Amino acid sequence: METEQDRISTIREREDVRMSLLPGTPGETTNTLIHYYRGELGRMTSWRDRIDRTSNWAITVVAALLSVSLSTPTSHHGVLVFGMMLITLLLMIEARRYRFFDIYRARIRQIERCYFAQILAPDPNSGREWASVIAGSLRHPRFLLSYGEAMHRRLKRNYGWMYFILLLAWCLKISTPKLQTEGAPALQAHSWAYVVDNAVLGPMPGLAVIAAVVAFYLGMLCFALRPDRDEGEFGRGEAHV
């Protein structure tokens, strides 16, 4: 039967084995840190590539829907309304991906700012707790941004322009009765009633559709204009995504 002394001895042996696996010299520590930096850089690059893919999908969708909607007068303006909904879905997907990307980006910036920058040009005022910050993130990974903050950043930098282009195209579509009809010039609507009639979407009356689109864009505008949370690694420097 195992005694208390045997259990203590076993625990000590396991601790000695664990400690023997850790870097024992400054050179080994530096080599380990370099490999860790490369690994984090690879993960950050991978998530950045996923973000770019979602943005490319959104741009492709906007271009395709604009081509379909404005190329012929028979196409319905609902295509553009559908595009607004689809772009919102892609924005939500990209915000989720951006939250993961921000974790690895923050770790990379900690190493670059507090280790490599200190090697190149030592700064006595630079933070000295960067290693414990990264260790805490590795032990207990957590998101640094809320879902709303991630959507806010992507909306301001990429998706705001796509929404604006879709809105202009939608306004043009419902206000131009003979858009690009062969043999006839483009005529603008002469009355508000005509625009309302053109905005009808299935069983929804035109006025309700216009009110919904206006409310949606006002909400997006208020969301985009709210102040940034300018703190942490994101608040250091101007080069960010």
Side-chain angles (χ1 to χ4, degrees):
M1 183 176 181
E2 187 180 19
T3 63
E4 183 68 21
Q5 187 66 27
D6 293 335
R7 286 197 294 270
I8 294 175
S9 178
T10 301
I11 292 174
R12 288 179 177 175
E13 290 177 358
R14 291 176 179 175
E15 184 68 16
D16 291 339
V17 171
R18 186 183 69 82
M19 293 301 294
S20 65
L21 298 176
L22 298 177
T25 64
E28 292 177 349
T29 302
T30 301
N31 190 46
T32 302
L33 182 60
I34 291 173
H35 285 290
Y36 167 72
Y37 175 77
R38 290 175 176 173
E40 290 288 3
L41 189 62
R43 288 200 287 186
M44 185 190 74
T45 304
S46 174
W47 280 101
R48 178 55 201 265
D49 181 63
R50 295 183 183 186
I51 293 174
D52 290 340
R53 289 182 187 179
T54 314
S55 298
N56 291 337
W57 295 343
I59 294 172
T60 302
V61 167
V62 170
L65 294 181
L66 289 177
S67 177
V68 170
S69 178
L70 301 181
S71 61
T72 172
T74 59
S75 62
H76 199 271
H77 74 93
V79 174
L80 296 173
V81 177
F82 172 75
M84 298 172 189
M85 299 171 58
L86 189 55
I87 293 301
T88 303
L89 175 62
L90 291 173
L91 173 60
M92 295 171 63
I93 295 174
E94 185 163 322
R96 175 185 175 276
R97 294 180 175 183
Y98 185 83
R99 296 182 75 195
F100 283 96
F101 163 80
D102 189 64
I103 297 174
Y104 308 121
R105 185 198 60 79
R107 293 176 184 173
I108 288 294
R109 287 296 301 127
Q110 285 278 358
I111 298 175
E112 292 176 343
R113 182 171 57 85
C114 300
Y115 183 74
F116 291 118
Q118 283 293 91
I119 294 175
L120 298 174
D123 181 7
N125 298 323
S126 180
R128 299 178 180 273
E129 299 181 353
W130 62 274
S132 61
V133 172
I134 295 178
S137 178
L138 291 174
R139 289 191 177 98
H140 305 286
R142 63 182 182 85
F143 290 117
L144 305 179
L145 290 175
S146 67
Y147 197 85
E149 289 170 340
M151 285 188 63
H152 179 237
R153 292 187 184 178
R154 303 317 296 163
L155 176 63
K156 288 185 64 176
R157 295 175 195 161
N158 279 24
Y159 285 78
W161 295 105
M162 301 183 204
Y163 280 118
F164 181 67
I165 293 173
L166 284 175
L167 178 62
L168 290 181
W170 181 75
C171 292
L172 179 64
K173 187 66 179 178
I174 65 174
S175 63
T176 308
K178 294 185 178 180
L179 186 63
Q180 295 184 6
T181 303
E182 291 186 8
L187 300 176
Q188 298 300 320
H190 296 288
S191 66
W192 170 250
Y194 190 89
V195 174
V196 172
D197 290 340
N198 278 350
V200 172
L201 186 62
M204 292 185 62
L207 195 58
V209 175
I210 294 176
V213 172
V214 170
F216 174 78
Y217 271 86
L218 286 177
M220 281 292 182
L221 182 62
C222 293
F223 183 66
L225 293 180
R226 74 175 190 175
D228 286 315
R229 192 196 70 170
D230 194 18
E231 60 184 35
E233 285 303 312
F234 177 72
R236 299 181 182 273
E238 297 179 354
H240 51 261
V241 295

